[in-house]
Amino acid sequence: MENLRSYPYGPVPLDSYFYIERPPLERKVYQEVTQSGCVIRIRGPKQMGKSSLVLRLLAFAQKLGYQTVNLNCDQFDVECLTDLNKLLRHLCWQIATKLGIDPNLKSEWNEEIGPNLSSGFYLENYLFNQCQSPVVLVLNEVDRFFKYPHICQEFFALLRSWCEEARHVPNWQKLRLVMVYSTEEYASLDINLSPFNIGLSIRLNEFTQPQVEDLARRYGLSSCTSKDIAQLMSLVGGHPALIQISLYHLCSQEITLQELIEDAIANGGIYRYHLWQYWLKLHENPCLAKTYAKVLAATQGISVNPTEAYKLESLGLIRFEGDRILPRFELYRTYFKKQLSTIV
């Protein structure tokens, strides 16, 4: 077991003993990707397992003989996100390169007809024409585009048009589009031009107690009882990344469960880096921090600006229980109540 363990960070590797399936999600995405011109939308806060699921989806597609392209929108230069022509040229260049095809943009890109039509013709008549098998295109972190409203509407409308072409045009039918994102700030998008209301929607939820118990056994924590697991989950719920970190430290015998909980409540404990990332986001957004402070202080239902509540929920900091808004975990309640008292 010690040879199998490594500190849990980032996507769970394909050959990892510690990947926990969340039926029926895997089955649904595997089935959907075999459909011509499909669209799969995978949503969830950061560290909920989106990238781990995408790795398995791509491996499944490759076993079927499909070609795959996995792009991270966070890696696009800001220059590309302020100029639609540069963005689409860059996107097409990356897709061609990942497919092992000479991009040949100088001769295949038609500046005369504009970037929207040019990118569509390039993909349909140049790239997909050379592909003998379906192409799975994964766009990770597509919510980054919401920060650039001047191109956001046009880019997502273009994606939607490609998806519609994929329903009946032979070369476009090779496309399988997978969009991965944390937030859905698309209220300003025309509903008829948005790609966020079509295709298969997958929302990643937390682990259940039986799944956490299964993972604990895989870590060799045979002495962990159901009561122990329930106690851990009362602190961090079924958050995949936090559960993995917890079990890693427990099986390393660096700390007992009781010490882990006490230390976390006192100062963040082994979760400090995770909490610090959220703290930076709240510190950069004083209005959001004030709203969260109200949620933390409330003893009963409170009225919160819907936009602010939505942002907190998309970050994974709150949960809804009926008409009540609550901190997502006890860990968040205790840690951020202390931290926010210094700035609110």
Side-chain angles (χ1 to χ4, degrees):
M1 284 297 300
E2 288 189 3
N3 290 332
L4 291 171
R5 287 197 305 261
S6 61
Y7 186 79
Y9 179 77
V12 180
L14 283 174
D15 60 351
S16 175
Y17 182 60
F18 303 107
Y19 180 75
I20 298 294
E21 289 198 352
R22 285 182 269 190
L25 296 189
E26 286 84 1
R27 176 181 56 79
K28 288 174 73 174
V29 296
Y30 295 164
Q31 181 178 345
E32 189 67 18
V33 81
T34 64
Q35 305 303 308
S36 297
C38 71
V39 180
I40 301 173
R41 296 181 286 116
I42 301 175
R43 184 200 169 198
K46 290 186 181 300
Q47 298 187 307
M48 282 295 291
K50 300 188 298 297
S51 297
S52 299
L53 177 59
V54 165
L55 280 182
R56 282 148 185 84
L57 174 59
L58 292 175
F60 174 80
Q62 288 162 3
K63 285 182 181 178
L64 296 178
Y66 295 179
Q67 295 174 272
T68 61
V69 177
N70 191 9
L71 302 181
N72 187 338
C73 298
D74 275 344
Q75 295 176 351
F76 290 6
D77 293 340
V78 172
E79 189 176 274
C80 290
L81 299 173
T82 55
D83 184 312
L84 187 63
N85 186 61
K86 289 181 180 178
L87 170 63
L88 295 177
R89 283 179 64 95
H90 178 75
L91 181 65
C92 289
W93 183 90
Q94 281 222 54
I95 295 172
T97 302
K98 297 275 186 179
L99 291 174
I101 297 173
D102 179 3
N104 200 19
L105 286 168
K106 286 186 177 179
S107 61
E108 296 296 333
W109 192 269
N110 189 339
E111 297 284 358
E112 297 297 322
I113 60 175
N116 286 5
L117 282 176
S118 190
S119 60
F121 286 143
Y122 179 86
L123 291 173
E124 178 187 357
N125 300 318
Y126 180 67
L127 287 190
F128 295 153
N129 202 42
Q130 298 183 60
C131 297
Q132 303 306 310
S133 59
V135 175
V136 180
L137 171 61
V138 179
L139 297 178
N140 291 285
E141 311 293 346
V142 293
D143 35 351
R144 186 184 182 200
F145 291 105
F146 293 125
K147 299 176 183 177
Y148 300 88
H150 51 290
I151 67 164
C152 174
Q153 179 86 40
E154 202 162 357
F155 176 70
F156 286 128
L158 182 62
L159 282 186
R160 171 69 176 256
S161 73
W162 291 351
C163 297
E164 290 176 348
E165 291 288 296
R167 297 172 66 181
H168 56 85
V169 179
N171 269 352
W172 277 109
Q173 287 178 340
K174 296 174 184 177
L175 176 65
R176 275 78 164 143
L177 178 64
V178 182
M179 297 190 296
V180 187
Y181 50 100
S182 300
T183 63
E184 293 178 321
E185 297 176 27
Y186 51 79
S188 62
L189 297 181
D190 184 330
I191 192 171
N192 297 310
L193 300 176
S194 170
F196 293 99
N197 55 8
I198 59 174
L200 175 66
S201 176
I202 296 292
R203 176 70 184 268
L204 291 183
N205 296 314
E206 297 174 18
F207 288 155
T208 62
Q209 180 157 340
Q211 289 171 327
V212 177
E213 291 176 359
D214 179 15
L215 188 57
R217 285 191 292 271
R218 299 187 192 198
Y219 270 95
L221 294 167
S222 55
S223 60
C224 254
T225 66
S226 293
K227 185 178 179 181
D228 292 331
I229 296 300
Q231 192 177 7
L232 175 60
M233 293 183 72
S234 70
L235 179 70
V236 297
H239 189 289
L242 298 182
I243 289 293
Q244 290 270 10
I245 292 170
S246 307
L247 298 179
Y248 172 84
H249 284 279
L250 289 174
C251 78
S252 300
Q253 298 183 334
E254 298 174 357
I255 192 170
T256 66
L257 177 59
Q258 200 56 44
E259 289 170 341
L260 183 154
I261 293 172
E262 290 174 359
D263 197 25
I265 290 174
N267 56 29
I270 62 172
Y271 312 110
R272 284 192 195 96
Y273 179 70
H274 172 87
L275 295 167
W276 177 67
Q277 290 177 303
Y278 279 127
W279 168 244
L280 286 180
K281 290 183 179 296
L282 291 171
H283 195 267
E284 292 167 359
N285 192 330
C287 289
L288 198 62
K290 288 180 180 179
T291 299
Y292 197 38
K294 284 176 61 178
V295 172
L296 296 172
T299 56
Q300 56 186 7
I302 59 170
S303 176
V304 173
N305 179 295
T307 302
E308 299 292 306
Y310 172 77
K311 289 179 180 178
L312 290 171
E313 194 267 341
S314 295
L315 283 172
L317 286 171
I318 63 171
R319 60 186 173 89
F320 296 101
E321 189 176 279
D323 60 352
R324 297 183 65 200
I325 300 174
L326 303 170
R328 190 172 174 197
F329 308 127
E330 184 60 26
L331 173 67
Y332 292 174
R333 181 195 298 276
T334 56
Y335 180 82
F336 289 112
K337 200 169 185 178
K338 293 177 184 176
Q339 297 300 322
L340 290 175
S341 65
T342 65
I343 64 170
V344 176

